[in-house]
Amino acid sequence: MGLEDRESMRILRDAFDLDLGSATLVGDFYTHWFAADLSARDLFPPDMTGQRRVFAQALCWLCDELIAQRAEEPVAFLAQLGRDHRKYGVTAAHYKTLQDALLVTLRKALYDRWDRRLSEAVDDVVNLVVGVMSGAADAETSPPFCDGTVLEHLRPTRDVSVIRLKMDHALNYHPGQYVPVQVPQWPRRWRYLSPAIPADPHGYVEFHVRSVGGGMVSTAIVGEARPGDRWRVANPHGAMEIDRDAGDVLMVAGSTGLAPLRSLIMDLTRFSVNPRVHLFFGAKYPCELYDLHTLWKIASTNPWLSVTPVSELNFDPPWASAFPDNTPPRGLHVRQVGLLPEVVTRYGNWGDRQILLCGRPEMVRATKAALVAKGAPADRIQHDPLAN
């Protein structure tokens, strides 16, 4: 029965469930794989904690989808994963040793329930994962990544950096997408960043990075990135977009969540007629609204754009004096004070708008919940995948 054997599939699914104690199984898998294939260890960062968690969650989700007989999205996900993993240097030999290690680990972990039916289900799932990922990687003809040089590192506020690069080749991405980025301070650690400008034919790109407490890569970028550094950028992800024929637009950006929305706004300036766009741009302190001058320049020549700055607090901290003055120019909407979900919904439910949210996961979840509670259709709200 294989993939159609829901009982066996549930046994396999539970084996990867972190809440049911899958940490030992996942740890054993990586130990077995790295012992059998020493080159596989070089594909991963020294600290494997996050990787083990992501692997377990992905396999658990995959089994849930297959149990529900929803194969289209898992296959698409695995294909994208295979194409994306080319940036790590994954080869066909790595897929073969991964397959062998995973099968051996599962047989050992599930020995007390192992029978012909479970064996078929496990074989089919592992073959699906390896087959789709390796097949998609082999079929992809575009380069797995592109390198570029840091030209400028600007610090508009204490915890935010604006990084401008010149890539060796033009990057191909749509406004609103995000890309995996690797910096020299942390080799083999990739972080997703959103370009803040549309794709440039000459290879120029700009990223906005906020230092996150406990975030090693973001902290290194904000504190250590220098002109001349060589960055590596891989292929884009994400589907956040504006349909110019689908009505007016609400955008809500928290801190550097502004970047992909800014890129979309800049792309709209190519057209003489656009839907109305209202952007709420929020931060904790007024001084952290770091890009209001750029937004004002765009809005001053594009009447379809309006911007409302929002700060949680109505005063700046002492350290603000050491950074550029981010006071908005005259002509920008009066700054509002409060949390973004509260401020946005003061104006109504925005149910007639295309709604795009970007920022910290907590802000996005809270804003989406507030909008839906006010009556905005959930299917009109776009945001990137949220971390747990």
Side-chain angles (χ1 to χ4, degrees):
M1 296 176 67
L3 298 178
E4 297 180 359
D5 184 350
R6 295 189 179 186
E7 182 179 346
S8 295
M9 289 293 295
R10 287 191 182 93
I11 293 174
L12 180 57
R13 180 253 179 235
D14 289 348
F16 290 110
D17 192 331
L18 290 169
D19 293 333
L20 299 177
S22 72
T24 299
L25 182 150
V26 175
D28 288 347
F29 156 66
Y30 280 108
T31 298
H32 187 93
W33 187 22
F34 295 159
D37 186 349
L38 296 179
S39 67
R41 184 64 185 88
D42 294 333
L43 303 174
F44 299 93
D47 182 3
M48 289 289 293
T49 304
Q51 172 63 30
R52 294 189 190 102
R53 182 180 65 254
V54 169
F55 179 80
Q57 291 172 338
L59 268 294
C60 195
W61 172 82
L62 175 68
C63 290
D64 280 336
E65 292 295 295
L66 294 174
I67 290 168
Q69 300 295 298
R70 295 189 296 261
E72 184 175 349
E73 187 173 349
V75 169
F77 167 76
L78 291 170
Q80 179 60 49
L81 209 58
R83 290 187 291 267
D84 195 42
H85 273 53
R86 295 179 306 139
K87 68 178 182 282
Y88 298 110
V90 177
T91 66
H94 290 133
Y95 281 113
K96 180 63 173 69
T97 55
L98 178 151
Q99 182 176 22
D100 293 343
L102 191 52
L103 287 171
V104 167
T105 303
L106 287 169
R107 288 191 186 106
K108 179 181 177 181
L110 301 173
Y111 74 94
D112 56 336
R113 285 169 285 180
W114 198 263
D115 58 19
R116 180 185 57 79
R117 289 174 54 188
L118 183 56
S119 175
E120 288 181 3
V122 169
D123 285 346
D124 284 357
V125 170
V126 174
N127 288 337
L128 176 69
V129 171
V130 172
V132 174
M133 288 182 65
S134 60
D138 290 343
E140 184 59 50
T141 57
S142 65
F145 52 76
C146 178
D147 292 335
T149 302
V150 173
L151 301 179
E152 285 186 289
H153 178 188
L154 308 177
R155 290 287 296 275
T157 184
R158 185 181 66 173
D159 297 328
V160 172
S161 287
V162 173
I163 309 290
R164 292 171 179 155
L165 300 99
K166 173 72 164 62
M167 306 305 297
D168 295 346
H169 306 285
L171 292 178
N172 183 23
Y173 61 87
H174 297 296
Q177 288 192 300
Y178 54 93
V179 293
V181 175
Q182 180 182 259
V183 299
Q185 290 80 8
W186 281 100
R188 300 200 306 275
R189 281 190 183 274
W190 293 80
R191 187 188 171 197
Y192 290 114
L193 298 177
S194 296
I197 61 173
D200 178 81
H202 303 292
Y204 292 101
V205 64
E206 177 176 311
F207 295 112
H208 299 175
V209 183
R210 185 177 189 278
S211 178
V212 179
M216 293 178 288
V217 176
S218 64
T219 301
I221 291 173
V222 173
E224 302 173 26
R226 299 287 183 271
D229 284 355
R230 296 284 288 172
W231 285 25
R232 178 161 288 178
V233 180
N235 294 320
H237 300 264
M240 196 158 54
E241 62 179 358
I242 292 174
D243 183 344
R244 294 179 58 246
D245 298 318
D248 294 337
V249 181
L250 167 68
M251 294 181 169
V252 183
S255 187
T256 52
L258 174 67
L261 305 184
R262 180 187 193 258
S263 180
L264 286 162
I265 289 170
M266 287 183 166
D267 185 60
L268 287 178
T269 63
R270 298 184 297 122
F271 306 98
S272 58
V273 178
N274 281 309
R276 289 180 301 161
V277 177
H278 194 114
L279 167 67
F280 288 86
F281 175 34
K284 183 175 182 179
Y285 297 109
C287 66
E288 293 181 311
L289 297 166
Y290 64 92
D291 207 33
L292 288 180
H293 290 266
T294 301
L295 296 171
W296 178 82
K297 289 177 182 177
I298 299 173
S300 66
T301 55
N302 293 277
W304 45 265
L305 175 64
S306 55
V307 180
T308 299
V310 180
S311 64
E312 294 180 23
L313 302 175
N314 203 23
F315 60 87
D316 282 329
W319 54 257
S321 60
F323 295 90
D325 182 9
N326 291 319
T327 303
R330 291 184 63 184
L332 205 62
H333 285 184
V334 176
R335 178 172 50 84
Q336 302 291 306
V337 178
L339 298 175
L340 271 171
E342 298 169 358
V343 174
V344 170
T345 52
R346 286 177 200 163
Y347 291 76
N349 68 15
W350 303 91
D352 60 338
R353 302 282 182 121
Q354 303 176 68
I355 301 173
L356 285 70
L357 312 178
C358 198
R360 288 184 172 184
E362 315 88 74
M363 184 280 289
V364 172
R365 291 189 185 99
T367 304
K368 182 176 183 178
L371 287 165
V372 171
K374 280 278 189 175
D379 60 3
R380 296 273 288 176
I381 301 175
Q382 299 180 53
H383 56 79
D384 288 328
L386 302 176
N388 290 328

